[in-house]
């Protein structure tokens, strides 16, 4: 049972950065914008948070810095695709390349440094509670925030007026514009929110998951987050299930390596990527349902009638 | 208030001028960046862009670095034109190196005139096979090729890693993860004395010519252009979207595989884990900077190759981190994409004069 609790705890931690980044991207895509730059924004958050933490010693300031770093990156993207109407796919890729370079430049002096003790929300004594304690109560606050954001995202999208406008803009930007909604403003806010959550997801990696900075430490998690949004058919609860499924696959691979399972470590490391491909193929083969789920204006440039 | 007004047709003059403006803006931003890092901006730009190519050896290095970028960039550009987003060229590059390298290792001791041609064919096939997977998934299951080609990159690089740690590891490498060095007949000969410029470098201009020929002279190129600009018009004309997806993915995969085998049979001379400084990803910038045109890709590839060399020079001479290269490349792509607006729109002060509606892109 201790083993099960330990595995569950590591699944939760492995899933958290994916869940955060994917929840942000879900909102962006619901507004009709495809931002492929999640990996770049996560790296900006990871390095920004780590630098702020080692300068100030405050994890709260570090999280704020990470959120701001992710938002700054997403703002560049917003200016390109909304202001200058640049191609969304290419602009997202640019964001990744820029984020990889900028984060390793900024983090140059911090490689290999590590932060002190991990950040825990609940008192140590709570961890004595059988099973639940070690599995669910031994995490930092970001983990609980990521879980709380799932129902909040559902509530926002389907129960608020702003959420309704966001979905309308994403489904048909011309119609939303005709009804008097500000397409560019809605999308800018959605993109910034996506940047904030990606930055937070990155910071979780460098502040809590492995409290250190290493170049390219996101290791493709930003791309897996993008795949999760497709996997979830743009639905938050399914997104959460997907994030935990992928967290589980990541952990499975680590445990298999640790147990000296008779397979080379490189082959085991392929598992999360192969699983992503397999899941994408299975999900997208159901053509009719997928086309119903994807926002109608996704990845289309809005040309406002003058 | 600035407003954008769509042009009836893209401006031809500006489509050549826009990348030049983007390069200019990147230089200005680079100057500021260097000043921010506490270095004299003018001197740093000189070291970055001029010092690397002041002698023959440097020019040879430029060709060695530009060739893979141009090879991959030409393939990607044709795909991007048709809205086929292969961003897994880095993995196809690795598979090309693996397939070509495996031939070289299998031929150990029995090499002949046939070895290099066989390696090159294997490299192109390896890259094309790796790109065939996203093509199959897209045409058969409607799976987004952006994500699948990218995921397969991680798999491909891990596969190369596994092979040089295991089955293809040299018996006398003192446990370093590397294959045995290729035999002399499995190496691309140097073509310019006193440099590292090897025979494989010539593949790049050939790819440019081939790409131009496909795009400008073949019906396939016409279909690529029509489907990219107006998918519905292409469908009415009876052009097969599936065929275009297959052709562009296999073509760009084969070119990336070629670049991969040329790299291991050229300057590297063996299989090892680190065979690419991100050529497959950087070639995406090359394709856009070259405005998705093979001839443009040639110039863009040369410029971006210079940024790799420049990064090494500012690292050695000014003590700046190598990551400056990535920042430069990212900024350049931002400016290129941003300047694209000049080609497609008029920028007006105040409100636009009349309602102009553009289509979706």
């Amino acid at each position: 049972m201790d083993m099960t609790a330990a595995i569950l705890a590591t699944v939760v931690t492995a899933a958290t950065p994916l869940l955060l980044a994917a929840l942000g991207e879900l909102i962006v895509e619901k507004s009709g914008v495809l931002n492929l730059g999640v990996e770049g924004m996560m790296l900006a958050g990871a390095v920004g948070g780590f630098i702020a933490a080692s300068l100030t010693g405050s994890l709260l300031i570090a999280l704020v810095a990470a959120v701001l770093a992710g938002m700054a990156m997403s703002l560049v993207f917003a200016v390109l695709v909304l202001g200058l109407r640049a191609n969304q796919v290419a602009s997202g890729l640019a964001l990744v390349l820029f984020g990889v370079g900028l984060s390793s430049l900024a983090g140059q002096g911090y490689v290999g440094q590590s932060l002190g003790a991990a950040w825990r929300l609940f008192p140590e004594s709570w961890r004595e509670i059988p099973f639940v304690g070690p599995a669910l109560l031994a995490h930092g606050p970001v983990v609980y925030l990521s879980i709380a954001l799932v129902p909040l995202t559902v509530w926002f999208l389907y129960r608020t007026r702003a959420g309704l406008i966001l979905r309308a803009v994403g489904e048909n930007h011309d119609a939303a514009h005709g009804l008097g909604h500000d397409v560019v403003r809605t999308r800018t806010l959605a993109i910034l929110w996506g940047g904030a959550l990606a930055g937070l997801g990155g910071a979780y990696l460098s502040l809590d998951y492995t409290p250190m900075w290493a170049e390219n430490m996101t290791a493709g998690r930003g791309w897996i987050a993008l795949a999760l949004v497709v996997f979830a058919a743009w639905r938050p609860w399914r997104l959460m299930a997907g994030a935990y499924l992928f967290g589980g696959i990541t952990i499975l691979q680590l445990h298999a390596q640790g147990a000296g399972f008779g397979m080379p470590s490189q082959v085991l490391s392929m598992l999360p990527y192969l699983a992503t491909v397999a899941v994408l193929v299975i999900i997208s083969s159901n053509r009719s349902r997928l086309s119903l789920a994807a926002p109608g204006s996704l990845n289309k440039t809005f040309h406002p009638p003058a | 208030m600035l407003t954008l007004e769509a042009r009836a047709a893209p401006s031809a003059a500006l489509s050549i001028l826009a990348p030049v403006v983007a390069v200019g803006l990147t230089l200005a931003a680079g100057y500021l960046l260097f000043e921010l890092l506490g270095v004299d901006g003018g001197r740093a730009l000189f070291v970055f862009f001029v010092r690397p190519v002041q002698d023959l050896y440097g020019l040879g290095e430029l060709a060695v670095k530009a060739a893979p970028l141009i090879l991959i960039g030409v393939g990607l550009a044709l795909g991007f034109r048709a809205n086929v987003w292969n961003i897994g060229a880095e993995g196809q590059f690795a598979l090309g190196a693996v397939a070509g390298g495996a031939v070289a290792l299998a031929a150990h001791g029995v090499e002949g005139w046939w070895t290099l041609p066989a390696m090159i064919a294997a490299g192109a096939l390896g890259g094309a096979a790796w790109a065939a997977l996203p093509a199959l998934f897209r045409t058969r299951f409607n799976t987004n090729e952006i994500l699948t080609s990218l995921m397969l990159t991680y798999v491909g690089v891990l596969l190369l890693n596994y092979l040089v740690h295991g089955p293809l590891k040299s018996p006398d490498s003192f446990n370093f993860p590397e294959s045995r060095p290729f035999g002399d007949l499995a190496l691309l000969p140097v073509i310019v004395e006193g440099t590292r410029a090897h025979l494989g470098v010539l593949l790049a201009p050939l790819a440019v010519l081939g790409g131009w020929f496909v795009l400008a002279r073949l019906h396939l190129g016409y279909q690529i252009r029509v489907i990219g600009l107006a998918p519905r018009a292409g469908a009415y004309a009876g052009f097969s979207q599936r065929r275009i997806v297959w052709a562009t993915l296999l073509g760009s995969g084969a070119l990336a595989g070629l670049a991969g085998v040329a790299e291991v049979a050229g300057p590297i001379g063996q299989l090892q884990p680190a065979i690419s400084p991100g050529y497959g990803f950087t070639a995406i910038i090359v394709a856009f900077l070259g405005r998705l045109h093979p001839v443009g890709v040639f110039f863009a590839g040369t410029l971006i190759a210079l940024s790799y060399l420049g990064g090494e020079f500012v690292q050695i001479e000014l003590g700046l981190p190598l990551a400056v290269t990535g920042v430069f490349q990212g900024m350049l792509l931002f400016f290129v994409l941003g300047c694209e607006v000049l080609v497609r729109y008029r920028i007006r002060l105040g409100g636009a004069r009349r309602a102009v509606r553009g289509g979706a892109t």
Side-chain angles (χ1 to χ4, degrees):
Chain A
M1 181 160 111
D2 280 355
M3 186 66 183
T4 322
I7 290 178
L8 193 61
T10 47
V11 169
V12 170
T13 54
T16 297
L18 297 176
L19 179 58
L20 281 168
L23 272 178
E25 180 68 14
L26 178 87
I27 294 286
V28 180
E29 292 193 15
K30 275 282 184 189
S31 83
V33 176
L34 180 66
N35 183 358
L36 295 180
V38 181
E39 181 90 354
M41 300 189 293
M42 285 181 87
L43 278 168
V47 79
F50 189 85
I51 293 175
S54 34
L55 290 181
T56 66
S58 158
L59 285 165
L60 195 64
I61 294 179
L63 290 184
V64 173
V67 165
L68 290 178
M71 287 173 88
M73 293 286 284
S74 69
L75 187 62
V76 174
F77 177 80
V79 167
L80 278 172
V81 303
L82 300 177
L84 300 173
R85 294 176 209 169
N87 182 302
Q88 292 179 10
V89 172
S91 303
L93 294 172
L95 206 59
V96 176
L97 294 164
F98 185 65
V100 171
L102 192 67
S103 63
S104 55
L105 185 62
Q108 171 97 143
Y110 296 87
V111 174
Q113 279 188 29
S114 99
L115 295 172
W119 196 12
R120 298 289 165 259
L121 190 61
F122 299 115
E124 186 130 10
S125 55
W126 289 29
R127 259 172 273 166
E128 310 283 310
I129 304 169
F131 194 79
V132 180
L136 299 177
L137 300 176
H139 297 293
V142 179
V143 170
Y144 306 108
L145 178 64
S146 73
I147 295 168
L149 276 170
V150 180
L152 272 174
T153 302
V154 174
W155 171 78
F156 169 78
L157 276 176
Y158 302 103
R159 290 281 178 276
T160 67
R161 191 177 145 72
L164 181 67
I165 295 171
L166 181 95
R167 286 186 290 136
V169 165
E171 285 304 332
N172 187 333
H173 48 213
D174 290 325
H177 177 84
L179 289 170
H181 299 305
D182 190 334
V183 174
V184 171
R185 208 190 96 195
T186 306
R187 288 187 172 165
T188 306
L189 292 173
I191 290 171
L192 286 173
W193 176 249
L197 287 198
L200 196 60
Y204 177 76
L205 283 173
S206 67
L207 297 176
D208 201 335
Y209 190 72
T210 46
M212 53 170 268
W213 164 250
E215 272 187 35
N216 274 323
M217 67 181 301
T218 47
R221 287 186 179 85
W223 297 105
I224 294 183
L226 281 165
L228 274 176
V229 179
V230 182
F231 166 77
W234 293 268
R235 274 177 277 182
W237 286 112
R238 232 175 106 164
L239 186 88
M240 187 180 182
Y244 283 89
L245 179 71
F246 277 84
I249 294 170
T250 313
I251 291 310
L252 187 76
Q253 159 235 324
L254 288 178
H255 278 277
Q257 282 185 25
F261 194 65
M263 260 214 261
S265 67
Q266 293 92 353
V267 175
L268 289 169
S269 302
M270 291 174 191
L271 278 181
Y273 307 111
L274 288 174
T276 309
V277 172
V279 163
L280 281 174
V281 168
I282 293 165
I283 293 296
S284 49
S285 59
N286 191 337
R287 200 168 194 142
S288 59
R289 214 187 47 215
L290 188 76
S291 54
L292 283 177
S297 291
L298 187 62
N299 196 16
K300 288 184 183 145
T301 304
F302 175 61
H303 302 264
Chain B
M1 180 66 191
L2 291 169
T3 42
L4 301 177
E5 192 178 282
R7 294 175 192 276
S11 157
L14 278 170
S15 71
I16 294 182
L17 195 64
V20 179
V21 173
V23 171
L25 288 170
T26 309
L27 289 179
Y31 181 87
L32 286 176
L33 176 76
F34 283 125
E35 292 283 337
L36 273 174
L37 291 168
V39 190
D40 173 8
R43 178 163 168 246
L45 285 182
F46 181 80
V47 172
F48 199 96
F49 287 106
V50 183
R51 286 277 293 111
V53 286
Q54 274 183 328
D55 52 22
L56 182 67
Y57 181 80
L59 287 170
E61 287 302 287
L62 187 67
V64 168
K65 287 231 161 34
L69 290 172
I70 295 169
L71 271 171
I72 307 170
V74 167
L76 295 186
L78 292 190
F80 293 172
R81 280 245 176 156
N83 281 322
V84 178
W85 299 96
N86 173 14
I87 59 170
E90 184 81 1
Q92 293 140 23
F93 182 96
L95 259 287
V98 163
V103 170
L105 295 171
H108 176 69
V110 294
E111 289 99 343
W113 61 268
W114 49 270
T115 312
L116 270 173
M119 286 169 67
I120 286 171
L125 280 176
W130 210 237
L133 292 169
L136 176 74
F137 298 149
R138 159 101 187 245
T139 52
R140 183 107 174 68
F141 303 108
N142 198 31
T143 313
N144 184 326
E145 77 279 8
I146 296 175
L147 292 169
T148 51
S149 66
L150 190 100
M151 289 298 140
L152 287 169
T153 289
Y154 289 97
V155 177
V157 171
L158 283 165
L159 183 68
L160 167 68
N161 237 299
Y162 160 68
L163 291 172
V164 292
H165 275 93
L168 298 184
K169 188 162 79 180
S170 165
D172 17 71
S173 72
F174 302 103
N175 246 356
F176 278 108
E178 56 188 26
S179 76
R180 68 167 85 236
F182 297 168
D184 283 344
L185 287 171
L187 288 175
L188 290 160
V190 166
I191 50 170
V192 182
E193 200 68 27
T195 71
R196 294 201 305 158
H198 54 86
L199 195 61
V201 164
L202 298 180
L203 291 170
L206 285 178
V208 171
L209 274 177
W212 172 82
F213 185 76
V214 168
L215 205 56
R217 287 281 175 273
L218 290 189
H219 190 51
L220 176 68
Y222 179 67
Q223 294 181 11
I224 287 176
R225 284 181 286 148
V226 171
I227 285 194
L229 288 173
R232 281 204 197 135
Y236 287 133
F239 298 164
S240 159
Q241 177 94 37
R242 297 165 71 97
R243 236 190 88 198
I244 297 297
V245 170
W246 274 106
T248 52
L249 270 166
L250 288 183
S252 58
L255 285 173
L258 265 184
V261 67
E263 198 65 13
V264 291
I268 298 178
Q270 63 181 167
L271 286 179
Q272 56 182 51
I275 54 167
S276 160
Y279 285 138
F281 295 113
T282 312
I284 297 166
I285 307 181
V286 171
F288 277 100
L289 181 61
R291 298 197 49 79
L292 306 185
H293 189 286
V295 177
V297 166
F298 184 83
F299 292 108
T302 310
L303 179 70
I304 297 285
L306 186 55
S307 78
Y308 274 115
L309 296 178
E312 289 169 15
F313 270 74
V314 295
Q315 186 185 27
I316 297 163
E317 296 200 9
L318 305 174
L320 290 173
L322 197 58
V324 167
T325 302
V327 176
F328 255 96
Q329 293 173 348
M331 285 195 307
L332 184 57
L333 186 47
F334 283 144
F335 286 124
V336 168
L337 293 168
C339 288
E340 178 77 18
V341 75
L342 298 172
V343 181
R344 288 182 294 131
Y345 297 91
R346 270 190 196 87
I347 298 174
R348 284 196 188 287
L349 287 169
R353 282 193 195 151
R354 59 201 165 78
V356 179
R357 293 287 299 278
T361 31

